[in-house]
Amino acid sequence: MGLLMKKACEKCSIALNGHAYICSHECTFCKECTNSMSRICPNCGGELVKRPEKGFVPVREKDSGAKALLVIDVQNAFNDKKWGERNNPNAEKNMNTILRVWREKNWKVFIVKHKSDHPSSLFFHGHKGYEVKEMIDQRNDDMIIEKKVNSSFIQTDLESLLVQHGITSVVTTGLTTPHCVSTTVRMSSNLGFKTYVVSDAVAAFGLKDQNNVYYDADTVHALSLATLNKEFAEIITTEQLVANIDLLR
């Protein structure tokens, strides 16, 4: 997990007995000072992110070995034709297969939803696109994480909830492979969680680069996974995951 917070705000020197905000360089501030600085660290210009209670990142010396499943951004917004070609048409079906096994194990499920404050966005919280696709087997006891950027960890309680429940392994599914899945996976790994990506339970859309060269969805998907493989995550299929579910660590 890595980041140890100081016991006092670096701006006003108030004791940090509750929550605190910290940047990637470990500059630490209280909530009031953080809000006054618009969440930007005055020392290094980095983003200030809320961390768990008591001013310290909880130490996971006695990990329980618990596992969590992330289902990222599987929302109606991605049904819109504006996105173009998508690969892995069975991704949602595979997610449900994993969800079924996960629930049999009574492991934690986190449904991550992208939430936009802009009425014109397909992900606007009052728009149908914000809602999770009906084909996904969502349950009332699933934990809901709302995010406003690519990473499921930024300005959310995901990290602290994983730690609170003793979770050491994170299995990632959802949309899209090069964007919110990839960003979340990289941060999950950097935060110290054993991270998996289920290759046929995530999907990508075709993209154009800065030179207007088009890359089809399968290519974008494959290269996105290649950039994660071994460096940030273990890439597995739904079949491999289900067959080895008790071997996850």
Side-chain angles (χ1 to χ4, degrees):
M1 307 286 289
L3 299 177
L4 179 63
M5 295 184 204
K6 300 175 179 61
K7 295 183 179 180
C9 173
E10 293 185 29
K11 184 175 182 180
C12 70
S13 299
I14 189 174
L16 297 174
N17 295 319
H19 57 251
Y21 292 76
I22 184 170
C23 72
S24 60
H25 293 86
E26 302 186 30
C27 305
T28 308
F29 300 91
C30 66
K31 180 179 180 180
E32 290 71 22
C33 289
T34 297
N35 290 339
S36 70
M37 297 181 292
S38 302
R39 288 183 177 268
I40 301 300
C41 175
N43 297 332
C44 67
E47 183 178 14
L48 292 163
V49 180
K50 186 178 180 180
R51 295 287 174 176
E53 295 179 352
K54 305 302 180 185
F56 296 93
V57 174
V59 178
R60 294 183 289 147
E61 294 178 350
K62 297 182 179 179
D63 290 332
S64 68
K67 289 85 175 170
L69 176 66
L70 303 187
V71 181
I72 301 174
D73 295 1
V74 190
Q75 294 163 263
N76 291 324
F78 280 121
N79 291 333
D80 196 279
K81 293 181 179 180
K82 67 168 281 188
W83 306 105
E85 168 206 7
R86 198 196 99 172
N87 77 329
N88 273 359
N90 291 323
E92 288 86 352
K93 178 181 178 181
N94 290 330
M95 292 176 210
N96 281 336
T97 296
I98 299 168
L99 279 166
R100 183 171 62 254
V101 175
W102 220 258
R103 299 191 199 288
E104 290 173 356
K105 295 290 184 180
N106 199 30
W107 291 342
K108 292 294 182 183
V109 173
F110 291 82
I111 303 293
V112 181
K113 302 170 70 176
H114 191 81
K115 179 180 180 181
S116 174
D117 294 327
H118 303 289
S120 60
S121 172
L122 293 172
F123 294 95
F124 180 60
H125 58 85
H127 192 285
K128 183 180 179 181
Y130 167 76
E131 300 302 329
V132 174
K133 294 184 181 185
E134 290 184 1
M135 66 179 70
I136 295 298
D137 181 24
Q138 185 177 357
R139 303 287 177 86
N140 290 334
D141 58 350
D142 292 341
M143 307 190 79
I144 305 298
I145 299 293
E146 293 182 328
K147 65 180 180 61
K148 295 187 178 182
V149 293
N150 299 100
S151 174
S152 303
F153 289 95
I154 297 296
Q155 297 180 18
T156 74
D157 293 329
L158 179 57
E159 181 187 359
S160 58
L161 286 170
L162 292 174
V163 173
Q164 176 185 329
H165 291 285
I167 291 165
T168 57
S169 296
V170 174
V171 173
T172 311
T173 67
L175 304 172
T176 65
T177 317
H179 297 124
C180 297
V181 170
S182 178
T183 309
T184 297
V185 165
R186 291 166 186 267
M187 196 162 180
S188 173
S189 175
N190 286 170
L191 288 170
F193 298 101
K194 173 64 178 177
T195 307
Y196 299 84
V197 180
V198 187
S199 61
D200 54 358
V202 294
F205 292 92
L207 293 172
K208 289 183 179 180
D209 70 8
Q210 70 279 5
N211 298 314
N212 207 36
V213 176
Y214 178 77
Y215 299 90
D216 64 71
D218 281 332
T219 299
V220 171
H221 179 78
L223 289 176
S224 297
L225 292 178
T227 64
L228 299 175
N229 185 41
K230 302 303 182 183
E231 183 73 18
F232 298 99
E234 184 172 340
I235 312 300
I236 56 177
T237 64
T238 299
E239 183 178 4
Q240 290 171 332
L241 175 65
V242 172
N244 298 284
I245 195 72
D246 291 319
L247 300 180
L248 286 183
R249 60 180 181 83

